[in-house]
Amino acid sequence: MDESVRTTFRDDGAVLLKDCLDEGHLAACKEAFDWAVANPGPNASSMFEGTEQRSHVDNANPRAKHRLDELAAALPLGTLFAELWGSEHVWYFAEEIFLKQGGKAGRSPWHQDTAYLPWAGSHWANAWISFQSLPEGNALEIIRGSHRGVQYDGTTFANPDDPTEPMWGAQALPRLPNIDADLAADPTAHDVLTWAVEPGDVIALHPRSLHGGAGTDPRCPDRHTLVLRFFGDDATFRPLPDTNKHFARNGVLFVEEMAGLNEGDPFRAPVFRQVV
Ligand SMILES: O=C(O)CCC(=O)C(=O)O
């Protein structure tokens, strides 16, 4: 791997990896995606209720776990992230799927995944995989370098009038800036990274980066995106605030599996499949 790719990921918190999945890999990813859409888990939701389009988001579906673990082990992503981070080992965490269909799906609001997941350290990456060719304006958007900045509160994802509505509240963490409003007032207010992507490309994203997903429109009516999350040697446990009972202690994912971890412990649990 070119050193510039490693440096870009380290400094920017995201990098576009061109052509790293072949047709066979993509077919396996699409099969897993379609299965997950047809067999939703307990965390599935329609994030953009009230609009006409079909949208579907699901996160760490326990029913899909076995097939996703197998997929993650068969893809070249573990080896790639080992090189990207300089990690000896790599583990697979879980998937998230985003189905935006019908040309009117709204944005995925700006957020940091680490507002919802008890993670710290540099060896984390989401592999953001699109099955369609996407122009720049319909893909993932990232604030450059924000993985090294403030840890903001999460958004509740539930208030279309206020995309910064705090999830933990009670001053547990600083409230998110209203990035869309800032950019509408001044397009240079934030340094936004985004790329056009082709099937086979993967965006590697450090999950502490502030990111949001562009919506769909008539020029790009459908976006089917599979996100696979991985971690390496420098991944530690960082307790989340406890001010929101719905997210008691460590969010809603793998709560029992992570119950034995304390602040600063290496992030390891037998439930997470080692892929390298
Ligand atoms: O693709 C999207 O709309 C959002 C992606 C996202 O939030 C993630 O990859 O964590």
Side-chain angles (χ1 to χ4, degrees), residues 47-48 96 98 100 106-109 111 113 126-128 139-140 157 205 207 211-215 223 225 227 229:
M47 203 193 263
F48 314 107
E96 186 162 8
F98 297 87
K100 297 187 176 187
R107 292 185 53 80
S108 313
H111 65 284
D113 292 351
N126 292 1
W128 194 89
L140 188 68
F157 291 110
L205 169 78
H211 62 280
R223 165 147 84 76
T225 309
V227 175
R229 300 190 158 98

Side-chain angles (χ1 to χ4, degrees), residues 69-264:
D69 281 359
E70 293 295 311
L71 175 68
L75 294 174
L77 294 170
T79 315
L80 217 109
F81 290 151
E83 274 190 67
L84 186 69
W85 300 320
S87 181
E88 193 179 346
H89 306 294
V90 179
W91 292 265
Y92 170 62
F93 180 78
E95 87 291 1
E96 186 162 8
I97 62 169
F98 297 87
L99 176 127
K100 297 187 176 187
Q101 199 149 290
K104 290 182 184 165
R107 292 185 53 80
S108 313
W110 291 95
H111 65 284
Q112 294 158 299
D113 292 351
T114 45
Y116 308 86
L117 290 158
W119 297 348
S122 56
H123 294 176
W124 291 96
N126 292 1
W128 194 89
I129 299 163
S130 169
F131 299 108
Q132 286 94 5
S133 298
L134 300 176
E136 229 181 72
N138 297 95
L140 188 68
E141 296 173 328
I142 302 119
I143 305 295
R144 191 197 305 266
S146 53
H147 62 308
R148 291 177 161 173
V150 176
Q151 174 64 62
Y152 292 103
D153 203 326
T155 162
T156 58
F157 291 110
N159 186 347
D161 297 328
D162 182 2
T164 73
E165 184 174 72
M167 185 184 63
W168 299 109
Q171 283 81 50
L173 289 167
R175 189 179 182 130
L176 277 165
N178 192 334
I179 293 172
D180 289 330
D182 292 351
L183 290 170
D186 172 6
T188 64
H190 298 276
D191 187 359
V192 179
L193 273 175
T194 185
W195 299 276
V197 294
E198 294 297 327
D201 297 348
V202 171
I203 297 177
L205 169 78
H206 190 291
R208 190 180 157 132
S209 306
L210 275 165
H211 62 280
T216 57
D217 51 44
R219 130 191 120 135
C220 177
D222 298 333
R223 165 147 84 76
H224 298 176
T225 309
L226 174 66
V227 175
L228 302 175
R229 300 190 158 98
F230 294 83
F231 59 97
D233 297 340
D234 179 29
T236 53
F237 180 81
R238 173 191 59 97
L240 294 172
D242 57 7
T243 45
N244 181 336
K245 287 207 170 32
H246 176 64
F247 277 82
R249 190 161 184 250
N250 302 319
V252 291
L253 308 181
F254 302 109
V255 173
E256 282 168 29
E257 290 83 352
M258 295 191 289
L261 296 177
N262 293 304
E263 179 147 25

